[in-house]
DNA sequence: TATATAAACATGTTACATCA
DNA sequence: GTGATGTAACATGTTTATAT
């Protein structure tokens, strides 16, 4: 096992003031088990002036950004090398990478949300268009069926004495079954948007 | 194989620096 | 001077790799 034995690697070296000035406030393993939350840096009543937070220089940030762009994860050797190159504590580099990953994830989530929102809106609009089309096609179907009935009535009247041409009359069940199937098929296609106007007209023989 | 341990990480919080 | 914002540092819980 190559991992360090120290529970807080580098902390004593990086932040000696914490160990020196807050040893009474912060004990990683106080009696009872769970570590207590450490707080209060730079309080007004602090007995000794504590180091204030210093932002990294532009050069340091740029260098870290380049490295972050290459690889978001930070192996131990790389951390040490970066820290040496930048004149920072390894822990500072580790913290910077942790915070940078958090910012990256946050931004990534935001972008993903925006992208999904646009996709969702597009789908909703498409759905509206398709529903309108279905209504229109149903209306056309209804009109066509009325027309077919009208034409069928005329044909029947004009050929009344001779029943040999009336398929409906001779084979009512067969025709009825066919029509039911045809209508079901049409409705299925309409409801599933697998038909366009031309196909519909062809199917209806218009 | 089960368990303990420690490093690395994710996530959330706090405090400080900076700017409008 | 003050509130908003960005970010370094930190707390804490979880995951993972390794030793025993």
């Amino acid at each position: 096992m190559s991992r360090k034995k120290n529970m807080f690697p580098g902390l004593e070296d990086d932040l000696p003031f914490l160990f020196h000035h807050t040893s009474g406030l912060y004990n990683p393993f106080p009696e009872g088990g769970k570590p207590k939350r450490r707080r209060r840096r730079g309080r007004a009543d602090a007995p000794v002036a504590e180091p204030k937070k210093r932002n990294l220089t532009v050069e340091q940030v740029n260098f870290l950004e380049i490295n972050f762009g290459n690889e978001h994860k930070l192996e131990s050797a790389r951390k040490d090398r970066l820290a040496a190159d930048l004149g920072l504590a390894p822990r500072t580099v580790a913290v910077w990478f942790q915070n940078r990953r958090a910012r990256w994830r946050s931004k990534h989530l935001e972008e993903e949300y925006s992208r999904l929102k646009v996709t969702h809106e597009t789908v909703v609009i498409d759905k509206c268009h398709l529903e309108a089309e279905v209504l229109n096609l149903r209306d056309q179907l209804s009109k066509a069926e009325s027309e077919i009935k009208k034409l069928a009535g005329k044909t029947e009247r004009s050929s009344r004495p001779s029943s040999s041409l009336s398929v409906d009359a001779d084979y009512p069940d067969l025709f009825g079954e066919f029509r039911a199937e045809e209508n079901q098929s049409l409705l299925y296609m309409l409801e599933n948007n697998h038909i366009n106007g031309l196909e519909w007209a062809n199917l209806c023989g218009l």
Side-chain angles (χ1 to χ4, degrees), chain A residues 20-63:
Chain A
H20 187 259
H21 297 300
T22 64
S23 56
L25 298 172
Y26 179 58
N27 172 5
F29 298 107
E31 255 183 32
K34 272 193 164 182
K36 286 251 162 68
R37 207 174 172 84
R38 177 182 43 169
R39 263 309 124 199
R40 302 281 89 90
R41 281 173 298 176
R43 290 167 308 170
D45 60 344
V48 180
E50 294 172 354
K52 294 194 172 182
K53 178 185 135 187
R54 286 274 162 246
N55 283 345
L56 302 177
T57 66
V58 174
E59 290 77 20
Q60 284 170 329
V61 170
N62 285 342
F63 196 69

Side-chain angles (χ1 to χ4, degrees), chain A residues 80-149:
Chain A
D80 292 340
R81 187 164 39 79
L82 273 173
D85 288 349
L86 291 167
L88 295 170
R91 175 155 178 82
T92 305
V93 175
V95 165
W96 188 90
F97 264 76
Q98 260 185 13
N99 287 323
R100 187 64 184 82
R101 277 194 297 270
R103 286 197 293 272
W104 181 85
R105 272 191 299 276
S106 174
K107 196 181 169 204
H108 186 70
L109 274 175
E110 227 172 76
E111 287 169 357
E112 188 72 3
Y113 171 76
S114 299
R115 200 180 59 74
L116 286 171
K117 198 176 166 197
V118 168
T119 305
H120 175 257
E121 281 164 1
T122 306
V123 167
V124 167
I125 289 169
D126 279 355
K127 183 173 176 276
C128 286
H129 287 154
L130 288 169
E131 281 172 351
E133 196 181 337
V134 166
L135 287 176
N136 182 36
L137 289 171
R138 279 188 175 148
D139 186 49
Q140 287 184 47
L141 176 62
S142 170
K143 284 176 184 164
E145 280 177 340
S146 302
E147 192 65 25
I148 287 167
K149 271 185 191 165

Side-chain angles (χ1 to χ4, degrees), chain A residues 160-173:
Chain A
R160 181 138 307 218
S162 163
S163 61
S164 62
L165 289 174
S166 174
V167 179
D168 234 347
D170 291 338
Y171 306 100
D173 291 339

Side-chain angles (χ1 to χ4, degrees), chain A residues 133 137 186 189-190 192-197 199-201 203:
Chain A
E133 196 181 337
L137 289 171
L186 275 171
M189 293 174 87
L190 284 169
N192 289 279
N193 309 311
H194 291 153
I195 183 169
N196 61 32
E199 283 169 345
W200 179 85
L203 268 168

Side-chain angles (χ1 to χ4, degrees), chain A residues 2 11 17-19 25 28 30 35 45 66 75 77 98 109 116 120 153 171 175-176 179 184 203 205:
Chain A
S2 61
L11 188 58
F17 66 94
L18 287 176
F19 281 80
L25 298 172
D45 60 344
I66 289 167
E75 321 79 61
Q98 260 185 13
L109 274 175
L116 286 171
H120 175 257
Y171 306 100
F175 198 56
R179 275 210 303 237
Q184 272 193 340
L203 268 168

